[in-house]
Amino acid sequence: MSRRMEGLKPYLFVEINKMIAEKKARGEEVISFAIGDPDTPTPENIINRLCQSARDPANHRYPETVGLPELRQAIAGWYQRRFGVSLDADREVLPLIGAKEGIAHIALCFIDPGDIALVPDPAYPVYSISATLAGGEPYYMPLTEGRNYLPDLDAIPEEVLRKAKLIWLNYPNNPTGAVAYLDFFSRVVQFARQHNIAVCHDAPYTENAFDGYQPISFLQADGAREVGVEFHSLSKSYNMTGWRIGMAVGNAEMIGALGSVKSNLDSGIPQAIQYAAIEALSGPQDCIADLNAVYQRRRDLIIEVLNDIGLKAKPAKAGLYIWAKVPKDYTSMEFASDLLDKVGVVVIPGVGYGSNGEGYVRLSLTIPDAGLVKGLSRLAAWQDSKNRFKQKK
Ligand SMILES: *Cc1c(COP(=O)(O)O)cnc(C)c1O
């Protein structure tokens, strides 16, 4: 085995899925609030386009790594309509086999052994893993409630900044549900220029938003495309996690570098899926508001029960998650284990996203309504069992 394998732990969800499978094998029913994976089907118009394209023999052959020109134009068109950002479809847009693929590979373009990637804590695990696999190391920027889960760029030591090649950001944020506004993104542009650090903004949740709020793109900040790229995905917006398609957009040099690594490693996205993505981005967009109404209703139901049983949680403006403070006297791991043992409910311990996630658990809104109702009554039952225990003492 290579030395880089020694530092590679099993991916967070692999462990959680294993725990769920073990319970199920013992015949217990488990209700999972764990993984963010839309539970309703891909919209019909997108499926139809996929089926139709799958029948065309032209789509049975190797695709181009950089994607169909029509797809790159559809992505540029969507960015224009959605964010007012104009992109050059040939130089500033690159389709990906899901955002995760690009997030993992871009580290190879910027990180040499000894280099640093600035990574939020808590965060999606791939930002730090990709830096490590490239031979570099992550420097963790704490995200705390007190700072609205925005990193304190002024707190990063000078010697770290000298070695830093990349900074990772993610808003709307997984797991905290935080959002960022233009003033923060403008500060990031200035920071990136001053220290010559490339910005990677991961933004798969801009379409999952509530209460009339519309998240923005990093590329809306002045000068953003001189310093960075944004990763986006069709997974969470159009219920397409299973089709594996996303994109990187922004700085032409960074996009070119990522395209060059990818063309040496993969052979692109199956073309039928690229056509489905064109339909998703260019066709009717009603599914977005429909899905958000479902998620918003679930968000409010879950928050109500959590607050009833003494877990503090605020309704997120965007994203697919609730970030809840665990009860006093529990670590996030103890609390998650207790829920699983006593009432068969799975939540993700915040510490799985980094040490600053300690004291929190994450609940996903992508749980089908039937499971949601059962899960909520089990959470209430967990509280009752605790009260009974206290009275006995
Ligand atoms: C879901 C998710 C992704 C991955 O998106 P894919 O396009 O499905 O690979 C990337 N970043 C974050 C923060 C996510 O939560």
Side-chain angles (χ1 to χ4, degrees):
M1 287 293 186
S2 64
R3 243 173 300 148
R4 73 175 63 80
M5 284 303 291
E6 289 163 19
L8 195 63
K9 286 173 270 169
Y11 195 59
L12 179 59
F13 292 116
V14 173
E15 289 290 282
I16 287 166
N17 284 335
K18 220 164 74 186
M19 268 172 24
I20 298 175
E22 281 165 11
K23 277 240 162 201
K24 282 188 177 156
R26 290 201 298 268
E28 297 172 42
E29 188 197 25
V30 174
I31 306 278
S32 176
F33 288 91
I35 294 174
D37 186 356
D39 55 296
T40 49
T42 309
E44 197 67 25
N45 61 312
I46 301 171
I47 300 281
N48 288 342
R49 186 70 181 273
L50 178 66
C51 293
Q52 185 195 336
S53 309
R55 291 208 173 85
D56 181 350
N59 297 327
H60 300 171
R61 313 191 65 191
Y62 279 124
E64 290 229 38
T65 303
V66 296
L68 292 162
E70 300 94 306
L71 173 60
R72 280 183 272 114
Q73 276 147 21
I75 291 168
W78 184 80
Y79 255 81
Q80 181 70 59
R81 288 190 300 280
R82 178 58 184 82
F83 301 115
V85 169
S86 315
L87 294 166
D88 177 336
D90 293 326
R91 300 171 55 249
E92 297 176 320
V93 175
L94 182 65
L96 302 169
I97 312 168
K100 185 180 184 183
E101 178 263 304
I103 293 168
H105 282 144
I106 199 162
L108 298 175
C109 307
F110 293 96
I111 302 287
D112 280 319
D115 290 343
I116 284 177
L118 305 174
V119 174
D121 170 4
Y124 185 62
V126 190
Y127 314 141
S128 54
I129 294 169
S130 62
T132 310
L133 286 178
E137 56 182 305
Y139 172 85
Y140 291 108
M141 306 177 288
L143 304 187
T144 60
E145 192 177 357
R147 296 188 53 87
N148 298 318
Y149 302 106
L150 300 172
D152 183 357
L153 302 176
D154 298 317
I156 304 167
E158 194 54 49
E159 70 270 20
V160 170
L161 292 171
R162 270 198 297 274
K163 293 194 217 163
K165 297 290 161 66
L166 276 187
I167 180 169
W168 283 102
L169 299 166
N170 163 224
Y171 297 98
N173 186 256
N174 174 10
T176 68
V179 299
Y181 297 95
L182 208 52
D183 58 343
F184 174 72
F185 286 149
S186 300
R187 169 75 185 99
V188 169
V189 171
Q190 181 200 19
F191 168 86
R193 279 193 181 134
Q194 187 183 349
H195 300 289
N196 198 21
I197 295 172
V199 179
C200 290
H201 182 236
D202 184 21
Y205 296 102
T206 62
E207 305 317 290
N208 310 112
F210 314 117
D211 308 318
Y213 170 67
Q214 279 230 319
I216 59 168
S217 161
F218 170 65
L219 296 177
Q220 284 172 261
D222 279 341
R225 92 177 66 202
E226 274 97 75
V227 298
V229 293
E230 183 157 271
F231 290 88
H232 214 298
S233 172
L234 281 78
S235 288
K236 317 302 184 355
S237 323
Y238 302 102
N239 293 353
M240 289 176 71
T241 48
W243 304 117
R244 312 307 306 131
I245 187 156
M247 62 269 208
V249 301
N251 184 270
E253 212 182 321
M254 293 174 71
I255 293 290
L258 181 55
S260 166
V261 164
K262 275 173 59 58
S263 64
N264 282 286
L265 294 180
D266 70 62
S267 300
I269 306 154
Q271 272 185 194
I273 291 170
Q274 297 191 47
Y275 282 111
I278 293 171
E279 174 63 27
L281 294 167
S282 319
Q285 300 292 303
D286 319 298
C287 66
I288 306 251
D290 296 349
L291 284 170
N292 287 341
V294 171
Y295 294 137
Q296 185 172 322
R297 176 171 51 76
R298 291 177 183 168
R299 176 198 69 172
D300 294 342
L301 280 173
I302 297 173
I303 296 264
E304 199 184 311
V305 172
L306 290 180
N307 288 337
D308 281 351
I309 68 170
L311 272 74
K312 282 199 214 103
K314 289 193 200 126
K317 280 196 171 71
L320 292 178
Y321 309 105
I322 291 169
W323 189 237
K325 261 207 176 101
V326 300
K328 266 206 318 253
D329 310 327
Y330 286 91
T331 66
S332 64
M333 198 62 99
E334 286 166 353
F335 179 65
S337 304
D338 203 51
L339 276 186
L340 184 60
D341 284 345
K342 297 232 170 78
V343 291
V345 166
V346 184
V347 298
I348 301 189
V351 74
Y353 294 95
S355 57
N356 282 282
E358 185 50 88
Y360 295 85
V361 288
R362 194 195 80 170
L363 288 86
S364 167
L365 303 178
T366 59
I367 174 168
D369 284 341
L372 179 74
V373 170
K374 211 177 250 183
L376 291 179
S377 67
R378 287 187 184 192
L379 286 173
W382 174 83
Q383 170 77 348
D384 291 344
S385 75
K386 235 181 38 153
N387 288 343
R388 272 201 304 281
F389 182 63
K390 264 197 211 135
Q391 276 160 11
K392 263 193 262 169
K393 275 211 286 198

